[in-house]
């Protein structure tokens, strides 16, 4: 009997079990109720009493050996088959996915839009390619104005088209499109890209964003312009940053002004960023020039209005303390992730 046990033991150890199918054959052959080991236990009943100790021990060893081979291989096969499947161990920490975010400029345009929508402004579209009439003439900007120079504006090859096409240098032409297409009252903002033939530096790029604003109705005053801009600055920069309005000149507004915000870096004390003035300019504004109303067919004796245009990159540099305008477009994830 001992010999028989030893033979089966050798068989158990040598049995090749590469997959679940052979594992089942192994189980049927050795471990099932009708298997070889159970048969041996049946035979054990007839073993001579003096032999029972040794045979019993050998038999138990055989049974344990077969069982433990079965268990280990079963576990190994299960592990292999679950690899690559999503049903693994539910107690493991979940997989994290890196989701993208909106670009800082997009977020700012949406913020600004929301701030103005709250006080009744609607969003109007515009065109990145304009002709000289919309970008300059209709906006009361004469032929000799320096911004019309090739040095400052990207002109497109418009030969044979009868008009000079260009990449708009400002969002202000949107004002003209809106007023040509509807009678007053008008209360719109128009965000978008603008282009200027600038040398690229920490302060300027050849492409940037602006948001234009326009409000026209009977009896609109400069006081309303100031109130609206104050409201915007408080919403966008927070209540702590001081603002100021100073006289300026634009061909399409009279009188004209510029709004400055306290320098983010020195808080008004004067530093390199603000060229030691303590202030940074964020927008141009003014009362719509009567000539512009005449150009679009509005009666300047009946209507008045205000307009403003702000630079987005510049505004964001102030809000977040971004020292170089190029950072917005370098797509450095370490920078973008912060917003
Ligand atoms: N378009 C001007 C610029 O790019 C900004 C501006 C000034 C817009 C005054 C306006 C305005 O609507 O009234 O510098």
């Amino acid at each position: 009997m001992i010999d028989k046990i030893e033979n089966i033991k050798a068989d158990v150890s040598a049995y090749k079990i590469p997959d679940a199918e052979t594992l089942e054959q192994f189980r049927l052959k050795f471990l099932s109720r009708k298997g070889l080991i159970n048969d041996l236990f049946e035979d054990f009943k007839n073993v001579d009493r003096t032999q029972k100790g040794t045979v019993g021990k050998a038999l138990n060893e055989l049974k344990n050996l077969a069982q433990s081979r079965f268990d280990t291989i079963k576990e190994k096969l299960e592990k292999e088959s679950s690899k690559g499947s999503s049903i693994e161990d539910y107690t493991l920490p979940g997989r994290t996915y890196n989701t993208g975010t909106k670009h800082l400029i997009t977020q700012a345009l949406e913020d600004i839009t929301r701030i103005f929508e709250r006080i009744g402004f609607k969003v109007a579209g515009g065109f990145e390619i304009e002709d000289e009439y919309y970008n300059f003439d209709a906006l009361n900007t004469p032929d000799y104005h320096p911004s019309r120079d090739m040095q400052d504006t990207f002109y497109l090859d418009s030969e044979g088209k009868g008009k000079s096409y260009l990449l708009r240098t400002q969002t202000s032409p949107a004002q003209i499109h809106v007023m040509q297409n509807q009678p007053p009252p008008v209360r719109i903002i128009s965000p978008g890209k603008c282009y200027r033939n600038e040398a690229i530096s920490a302060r300027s790029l050849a492409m940037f964003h602006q948001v234009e604003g326009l409000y026209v109705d009977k009896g609109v005053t400069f006081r309303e312009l100031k109130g609206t801009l104050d409201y915007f600055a408080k919403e966008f920069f927070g209540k702590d940053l001081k603002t100021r309005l100073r006289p300026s000149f634009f061909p399409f507004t009279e009188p004209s002004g510029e709004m400055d915000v306290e320098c983010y870096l020195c808080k008004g004390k004067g530093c390199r960023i603000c060229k030691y003035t303590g202030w940074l300019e964020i927008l141009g504004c003014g009362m719509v020039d009567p000539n512009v109303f005449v150009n679009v067919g509005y009666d300047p004796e009946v209507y008045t209005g205000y307009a403003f245009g702000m630079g987005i990159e510049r505004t964001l540099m102030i809000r977040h303390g971004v020292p170089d305008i190029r950072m917005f477009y370098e797509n450095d994830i370490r920078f973008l992730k912060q917003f």
Side-chain angles (χ1 to χ4, degrees), residues 53-235:
T54 354
V55 175
K57 195 165 166 254
L59 201 49
N60 275 329
E61 275 173 5
L62 170 65
K63 192 182 173 196
N64 290 342
L65 176 75
Q67 188 65 51
S68 90
R69 264 212 92 190
F70 177 84
D71 289 346
T72 346
I73 291 175
K74 185 172 183 223
E75 197 184 329
K76 191 178 134 226
L77 290 175
E78 276 174 357
K79 242 188 216 156
E80 272 170 14
S81 78
S82 72
K83 242 182 232 160
S85 120
S86 57
I87 311 158
E88 286 173 22
D89 180 352
Y90 290 110
T91 62
L92 289 172
R95 292 197 185 106
T96 50
Y97 292 95
N98 280 327
T99 49
T101 52
K102 285 183 182 165
H103 191 276
L104 173 59
I105 301 277
T106 310
Q107 288 182 39
L109 291 175
E110 289 178 359
D111 281 359
I112 294 170
T113 304
R114 231 172 289 125
I115 292 171
F116 282 104
E117 276 178 345
R118 241 181 274 145
I119 53 169
F121 283 77
K122 295 259 181 302
V123 175
F127 305 99
E128 286 176 35
I129 295 178
E130 289 284 4
D131 61 35
E132 283 195 294
Y133 178 76
Y134 282 95
N135 199 77
F136 296 124
D137 297 284
L139 287 159
N140 201 34
T141 308
D143 263 357
Y144 52 80
H145 195 279
S147 68
R148 296 183 76 138
D149 201 284
M150 300 275 278
Q151 303 264 303
D152 295 300
T153 301
F154 291 113
Y155 285 88
L156 302 175
D157 182 3
S158 337
E159 223 173 285
K161 303 236 168 54
K163 281 182 194 169
S164 278
Y165 288 95
L166 46 83
L167 295 180
R168 68 174 176 189
T169 61
Q170 48 187 353
T171 43
S172 305
Q175 292 185 27
I176 306 299
H177 290 292
V178 171
M179 289 192 281
Q180 278 182 342
N181 288 325
Q182 71 169 89
V186 168
R187 201 198 290 247
I188 58 101
I189 56 162
S190 185
K193 290 189 176 77
C194 304
Y195 302 84
R196 285 185 202 174
N197 197 353
E198 302 265 9
I200 290 169
S201 72
R203 293 170 68 95
S204 53
L205 288 174
M207 187 281 295
F208 55 95
H209 292 77
Q210 285 190 342
V211 173
E212 192 75 14
L214 175 70
Y215 177 34
V216 182
D217 204 346
K218 288 180 183 154
V220 177
T221 65
F222 197 91
R223 196 159 70 166
E224 283 166 271
L225 168 61
K226 191 166 185 297
T228 304
L229 295 180
D230 274 347
Y231 155 79
F232 164 74
K234 291 212 162 52
E235 291 292 312

Side-chain angles (χ1 to χ4, degrees), residues 139 169-173 175 194 196 208 210-214 225 249-258 281-288 306-311:
L139 287 159
T169 61
Q170 48 187 353
T171 43
S172 305
Q175 292 185 27
C194 304
R196 285 185 202 174
F208 55 95
Q210 285 190 342
V211 173
E212 192 75 14
L214 175 70
L225 168 61
F249 173 80
F250 295 99
F252 35 90
T253 43
E254 182 58 37
S256 305
E258 276 176 327
E281 178 217 316
I282 59 155
L283 60 80
C285 62
M287 300 306 289
V288 179
Y306 64 69
F308 56 86
M310 68 180 94

